[in-house]
Amino acid sequence: MMKELTAKEEEVMRYFWDKGALFVKQLLEFYPDPKPHFNTLSTYVRSLEEKGFLSHESFGSTYRYYCVISEEEYRTGTLKNIVKKYFDNSYLSVVSSLIKEQDLTVTEVRELLDEVEKLHNKQ
């Protein structure tokens, strides 16, 4: 099961997903003012590496970090965690909840069913 990210860790990961491999110094440059402290960012990056989201390659005494998990893999894993945690692992409950909460029309539900059928037929 994929580990969850804090809001700050997810913010850091977005830079890696958008920009690719980065040194912490480069990462810091992308932040607007007031910029976080270098050591704070460095701590987040090391935490992300411990959680298996980033890895690094050495360049002398410094490290360049890169993604191990894509944004798509993270989204999929997060969705699975939400379905498991809040909907008793039932995707039917998720869809039912969406229909009730989002006030989906019958036409929208039919379109959703058509998409599911297309995907199922491809497999």
Side-chain angles (χ1 to χ4, degrees), residues 72-105:
E72 179 66 26
E73 289 170 312
Y74 176 65
R75 253 200 322 265
T76 302
T78 302
L79 180 61
K80 285 179 182 169
N81 286 343
I82 289 170
V83 172
K84 187 175 183 180
K85 190 172 178 180
Y86 297 106
F87 296 95
D88 199 29
N89 229 8
S90 165
Y91 283 87
L92 189 58
S93 294
V94 174
V95 173
S96 174
S97 176
L98 285 171
I99 290 169
K100 290 175 195 159
E101 297 293 320
Q102 300 301 317
D103 206 21
L104 291 177
T105 66

Side-chain angles (χ1 to χ4, degrees), residues 9 11 14 24 27-28 35 42 44-45 47 53-54 68 74 77 92 94 99 104-105 111-112:
E9 288 172 336
E11 180 181 284
R14 296 230 168 274
V24 176
L27 176 63
L28 187 61
K35 294 183 184 302
S42 192
Y44 286 131
V45 168
S47 171
F53 284 84
L54 296 174
V68 176
Y74 176 65
L92 189 58
V94 174
I99 290 169
L104 291 177
T105 66
E111 286 172 8
L112 186 61

Side-chain angles (χ1 to χ4, degrees), residues 5-18 27 30-32 34 36 41 44 48 74:
L5 297 180
T6 65
K8 287 289 183 189
E9 288 172 336
E10 192 170 332
E11 180 181 284
V12 170
M13 279 305 297
R14 296 230 168 274
Y15 286 109
F16 282 97
W17 286 324
D18 292 345
L27 176 63
F30 292 118
Y31 275 84
L41 270 189
Y44 286 131
L48 287 163
Y74 176 65

Side-chain angles (χ1 to χ4, degrees), residues 29-46:
E29 291 167 13
F30 292 118
Y31 275 84
D33 289 324
K35 294 183 184 302
H37 193 276
F38 178 90
N39 290 345
T40 304
L41 270 189
S42 192
T43 300
Y44 286 131
V45 168
R46 282 196 309 275

